[in-house]
Amino acid sequence: MSRTSLSEFDLIARYLSRPATAGRSDVVVGNGDDCAVLALSPGQQLAVSVDTSVVDIHFPHDAPPAAIGHRALAVALSDLAAMGARARWCCLALTLPAADPAWLEAFADGFRELAERSGCELVGGDVTRGALTIGVTVHGEVPAGQALQRRGAREGDLVAVTGYPGRAAEGLARWQQGERNPEHPLLEAYLRPEPRLSAGALLRGLATSAIDISDGLLADLQHLLSASGLGARLDLEALPLATPLRATLELDEVRQRVLNGGDDYELLVTVAAADLAEAQRRLSSLHLPLTPIGRIVDAEGIHGIDSRYLERQGWDHFPEVLS
Ligand SMILES: [Mg+2]
């Protein structure tokens, strides 16, 4: 038991904690005690989310360890982005088959780089032995009463999406086909997704509802519509099509990736038609496009697109594992 405790302390201290000089005033008690004690800023509410990434379910076992660290945090931060929250603190529960120092160091580099860039301080950790599994809890702050939610879409609102979804699913497919150039733009989209924290914050007070695309555009749109009790009519011609997808895939397959590929972590929002230009103007400061792809309608469900796109909702990323 004592050996486990020592190893746990050692792993966290060596690979994941920051130098003491980097301490922040909002972290009253940080990593290393039984609990972290955190000070919420005045007028802010706490937004909390947890995500678990399991080897060969959520990421391939041979993915670069730095990318595994980055992704595990990115997918959790994406939920804060979807609420319009600012990232503040995170906790990491790491299950490892073995303590491989080189793997851990690279994993920690990927995790820490995104954590620091996002202002998200690691304030707690736990390490156990088992199949590689990464649990990340993120805590964010959002001005009281201003969190974006899935519910809130109104009839007539535009449905809009950030960036170019579909790239990550194709990136994973390329990885599974043996592509290993880490700078390949599609691989990069899968391995190092960028949580849209700044975009979410900029859309507070403007978007009427929001969700991040983790399962696929159509699947997550349906979550938003169910929460809002409404439907949507999409315009297939309006979908943003990423250049590297158009360059290599048939149009129909590109659209399948855009609508049903997961893992992009773009934001899907609804906004009043009169507010679209302002929303686009705000995101242009991030060089991030916001593309209207349809409209909220009173009839439940998703309309305006061929049923073959709806049939493939819920992209199966790892069929060989799950079958
Ligand atoms: Mg989400």
Side-chain angles (χ1 to χ4, degrees):
M1 243 356 246
S2 63
R3 200 175 154 200
T4 305
S5 302
L6 186 64
S7 139
E8 177 181 318
F9 175 83
D10 196 41
L11 288 173
I12 294 170
R14 278 176 62 194
Y15 298 111
L16 291 162
S17 63
R18 288 149 56 107
T21 51
R24 296 190 331 198
S25 61
D26 56 298
V27 182
V28 182
V29 179
N31 207 348
D33 213 312
D34 291 307
C35 283
V37 178
L38 308 168
L40 208 56
S41 309
Q44 302 289 306
Q45 291 175 326
L46 189 62
V48 182
S49 182
V50 65
D51 261 288
T52 304
S53 300
V54 179
V55 66
D56 285 337
I57 302 288
H58 300 100
F59 60 89
H61 64 273
D62 55 353
I68 295 173
H70 173 100
R71 274 193 102 255
L73 179 59
V75 303
L77 290 175
S78 178
D79 284 322
L80 293 183
M83 305 297 287
R86 173 184 174 209
R88 297 295 278 157
W89 312 289
C90 60
C91 295
L92 172 67
L94 187 57
T95 304
L96 294 168
D100 173 349
W103 190 96
L104 256 176
E105 199 162 340
F107 169 87
D109 281 348
F111 189 97
R112 191 172 40 217
E113 188 277 328
L114 179 59
E116 288 181 2
R117 191 155 51 81
S118 308
C120 192
E121 178 94 353
L122 182 74
V123 295
D126 183 42
V127 180
T128 52
R129 190 180 293 268
L132 181 58
T133 303
I134 306 136
V136 179
T137 306
V138 288
H139 304 76
E141 288 185 333
V142 63
Q146 291 185 35
L148 298 173
Q149 296 181 52
R150 297 177 180 190
R151 56 185 293 179
R154 297 168 304 201
E155 188 181 354
D157 282 352
L158 296 175
V159 177
V161 66
T162 63
Y164 295 94
R167 296 180 307 144
E170 183 58 21
L172 175 58
R174 301 286 174 92
W175 179 270
Q176 290 172 323
Q177 289 157 14
E179 172 65 56
R180 288 296 181 271
N181 175 6
E183 286 168 23
H184 190 294
L186 296 172
L187 234 53
E188 170 93 6
Y190 173 73
L191 293 172
R192 304 186 70 83
E194 192 60 38
R196 299 301 188 193
L197 287 159
S198 300
L202 288 171
L203 292 173
R204 276 200 319 262
L206 206 55
T208 53
S209 70
I211 190 169
D212 64 317
I213 304 177
S214 51
D215 297 338
L217 193 158
L218 291 181
D220 287 309
L221 172 60
Q222 189 53 60
H223 294 144
L224 183 153
L225 295 173
S226 299
S228 296
L230 290 164
R233 175 166 297 277
L234 296 186
D235 177 5
L236 207 56
E237 304 291 328
L239 294 177
L241 306 179
T243 305
L245 292 181
R246 293 172 70 180
T248 52
L249 296 176
E250 297 290 336
L251 179 60
D252 186 64
E253 203 51 36
V254 175
R255 286 172 170 165
Q256 284 286 7
R257 291 290 199 245
V258 174
L259 293 170
N260 290 313
D263 294 320
D264 284 297
Y265 303 101
E266 295 294 347
L267 297 182
L268 185 68
V269 304
T270 56
V271 62
D275 290 332
L276 177 69
E278 171 61 13
Q280 289 173 322
R281 190 192 65 76
R282 291 186 190 181
L283 298 200
S284 69
S285 67
L286 307 170
H287 306 290
L288 184 64
L290 179 69
T291 308
I293 59 168
R295 198 175 277 271
I296 296 293
V297 296
D298 195 18
E300 287 189 19
I302 298 172
H303 312 275
I305 59 172
D306 194 282
S307 60
R308 71 181 185 279
Y309 296 115
L310 295 168
E311 282 158 10
R312 278 175 54 179
Q313 272 193 55
W315 194 265
D316 192 355
H317 290 175
F318 290 91
E320 73 280 10
V321 172
L322 301 175
S323 60

